[in-house]
Amino acid sequence: VLEEASLESVTVRTMDGSHQSEAQSVTLTVDGFGTVKDPLTEEVQPVKRFTWTNESGMSVQVISYGAIITSIKVPGKNGAVDDVVLGFDNILGYRGANNPYFGATVGRVANRIGGGRFTIDGVVYEVTKNWEGRHQLHGGKIGFDKFNWTSHVEGTEVTLSHTNKDGHEGYPGTVLASVTYELKNDNRLVVKFRAVSDKPTPINLTNHSYFNLAGHNTGHEEVYRHIISLNADRITETDEDSIPTGKFLCVGGTPYDLRIPRELGPAMSRAPGEGYDNNFCITKGTEQGMTFIARVVHPHSGRTLEVYTDQPGVQLYTSNFMPDPNRNIRPRPINAGDYYELTHLEPVVPAMATDLPIRGKGGAKYFKHGAFCLETQNFPDAVNHANFPNSVLVPGETYEHEVVYKFGLFEEN
């Protein structure tokens, strides 16, 4: 066991419980990723980076700042290994004002709280309104993603922990939250969130990774060519500010019906606003725990992603608010069949443009629709809707949330 692993490189090799004749292993290396100042105390703290590598050629990197997933590298059908999540090369990028929560652990309450207000036991709480001055988004101005989490390593499991004080961003109760990461040899990334509180408080944690199975730097045209299916027969209806009304909409006959595999771009073209930013209600049994929620395939690279969770909802977000300097990034009803035979140039950014691309890993330029997110969660604004699953954590109980991202290769018939 390594408590508060030092910044010197540490390698751990453990058996994965495989029943194959040759024992397989996953390696974990710990090193540094710069320093940050605590947003409240301004104490300078070292940021740790954790790198897992398995024998399938997959690797994952997580940093202690924001408990952020910074890299997921996965082999494609031709053997090429690509990084399939958006992010930055250094800590300055993750601390930048234009970081749209790349890979972050989001809390105390992910997604939106309508009006920045809720009531628990007759007491009205006002929380920070960091979305258009009207609502709260992703925990407020200084959410869980803005803190450097402490670490505990055991085998190839890394547990990152954060203590969030009573009154922070307007929330009641001191919360101790943790997230445990582990890469398995069968290309499953297992993520487990836990939290306890000394006062009743809403909790809804999630991971906000931005995926592009063609590679983080390949842009919107490749995202449009992903094939997605979602195990959801309803969505939560929202108003123009994306705040739930409390009603549910059946997806049948609508652009939100992704129960059978559909090309993402053409599906987006039929959705209001030509993109998705919606909570899908997972179809599951009453006593069912971990449930299949989504499968995404990128046929050209052969990469697949399956997502499983014990949560009731998942936010499908298609990076609608990322930069679009020319205001011309739009999905089409039909993807061109000869796309891979053509030469493609990234969008030209006008000299006077203000909506500049986000500069990511390796100098990549990230634009609108350049990735998709599958944020497993309770329903948004659940604290304000009695007909939504309970989101209030009370003393003596433990919030638990597990999500598994399983990567693989598409096998053509």
Side-chain angles (χ1 to χ4, degrees):
V1 177
L2 298 174
E3 284 277 10
E4 276 302 296
S6 71
L7 292 187
E8 297 177 2
S9 181
V10 177
T11 300
V12 180
R13 182 181 289 268
T14 72
M15 298 306 171
D16 194 26
S18 171
H19 296 293
Q20 298 182 15
S21 56
E22 292 186 16
Q24 295 182 322
S25 61
V26 176
T27 61
L28 169 64
T29 301
V30 186
D31 63 359
F33 197 73
T35 61
V36 292
K37 285 185 178 181
D38 183 280
L40 302 181
T41 68
E42 297 195 342
E43 175 193 4
V44 177
Q45 301 169 336
V47 177
K48 297 171 187 174
R49 177 173 60 183
F50 305 89
T51 304
W52 292 260
T53 305
N54 69 16
E55 294 186 349
S56 303
M58 178 177 168
S59 66
V60 173
Q61 290 186 318
V62 169
I63 60 173
S64 57
Y65 177 72
I68 291 170
I69 297 173
T70 59
S71 172
I72 299 178
K73 293 181 179 178
V74 187
K77 63 183 179 183
N78 297 321
V81 177
D82 288 307
D83 193 342
V84 299
V85 290
L86 278 58
F88 300 100
D89 285 325
N90 53 51
I91 196 64
L92 291 177
Y94 287 103
R95 296 188 67 240
N98 66 344
N99 174 16
Y101 303 94
F102 283 156
T105 295
V106 176
R108 179 175 304 198
V109 175
N111 217 304
R112 294 158 178 84
I113 291 183
R117 175 185 298 141
F118 57 85
T119 302
I120 297 178
D121 296 335
V123 179
V124 177
Y125 294 93
E126 299 273 352
V127 292
T128 310
K129 299 176 184 177
N130 63 318
W131 192 90
E132 303 291 340
R134 297 194 294 275
H135 313 290
Q136 185 177 98
L137 176 68
H138 291 335
K141 293 180 180 178
I142 306 177
F144 285 13
D145 61 297
K146 304 295 193 299
F147 290 92
N148 193 33
W149 295 43
T150 58
S151 61
H152 172 92
V153 180
E154 185 164 359
T156 52
E157 277 193 348
V158 175
T159 298
L160 299 169
S161 302
H162 167 61
T163 301
N164 200 241
K165 297 295 181 64
D166 183 17
H168 181 69
E169 297 290 323
Y171 286 100
T174 294
V175 167
L176 174 59
S178 69
V179 55
T180 299
Y181 291 104
E182 186 177 21
L183 175 63
K184 302 290 189 176
N185 223 15
D186 60 359
N187 288 0
R188 285 182 300 131
L189 175 59
V190 180
V191 184
K192 298 177 182 179
F193 303 93
R194 292 169 64 90
V196 293
S197 177
D198 62 359
K199 293 181 182 178
T201 189
I203 290 285
N204 189 19
L205 306 181
T206 194
N207 179 269
H208 209 310
S209 287
Y210 285 68
F211 297 100
N212 184 335
L213 298 182
H216 73 100
N217 58 351
T218 58
H220 59 281
E221 289 289 355
E222 289 285 12
V223 167
Y224 295 158
R225 284 163 175 76
H226 287 62
I227 297 171
I228 187 169
S229 54
L230 275 178
N231 176 29
D233 55 14
R234 299 184 302 168
I235 63 169
T236 45
E237 181 188 68
T238 57
D239 63 18
E240 61 275 5
D241 280 357
S242 296
I243 304 300
T245 64
K247 298 179 181 178
F248 299 95
L249 298 177
C250 293
V251 301
T254 77
Y256 305 103
D257 191 352
L258 303 174
R259 293 174 294 184
I260 60 172
R262 300 186 187 278
E263 280 192 295
L264 188 51
M268 291 166 61
S269 75
R270 294 188 289 271
E274 297 183 326
Y276 293 105
D277 189 9
N278 303 92
N279 174 65
F280 287 75
C281 306
I282 306 306
T283 304
K284 59 189 294 186
T286 305
E287 300 300 324
Q288 189 173 354
M290 293 294 287
T291 305
F292 166 79
I293 64 161
R295 186 170 195 260
V296 188
V297 178
H298 182 252
H300 190 69
S301 69
R303 294 188 185 94
T304 65
L305 168 62
E306 292 180 351
V307 183
Y308 301 81
T309 192
D310 55 6
Q311 295 299 289
V314 61
Q315 190 86 5
L316 172 61
Y317 173 57
T318 50
S319 305
N320 313 323
F321 301 113
M322 280 173 57
D324 182 11
N326 299 299
R327 300 291 187 267
N328 65 352
I329 295 177
R330 299 182 64 187
R332 293 173 295 278
I334 300 176
N335 282 327
D338 59 353
Y339 174 77
Y340 291 106
E341 284 72 56
L342 304 176
T343 300
H344 302 281
L345 301 174
E346 66 181 16
V348 176
V349 180
M352 302 301 290
T354 56
D355 194 18
L356 297 175
I358 299 170
R359 298 305 294 261
K361 290 180 280 193
K365 297 177 182 178
Y366 299 146
F367 294 93
K368 179 182 177 182
H369 293 170
F372 62 91
C373 303
L374 290 166
E375 306 161 55
T376 55
Q377 60 181 7
N378 195 349
F379 299 168
D381 199 30
V383 70
N384 286 317
H385 298 278
N387 61 325
F388 286 6
N390 174 56
S391 69
V392 176
L393 175 65
V394 299
E397 295 187 355
T398 301
Y399 166 88
E400 295 182 306
H401 169 182
E402 182 173 354
V403 56
V404 174
Y405 306 98
K406 182 173 175 54
F407 294 87
L409 289 175
F410 174 64
E411 296 181 5
E412 300 184 55
N413 295 327

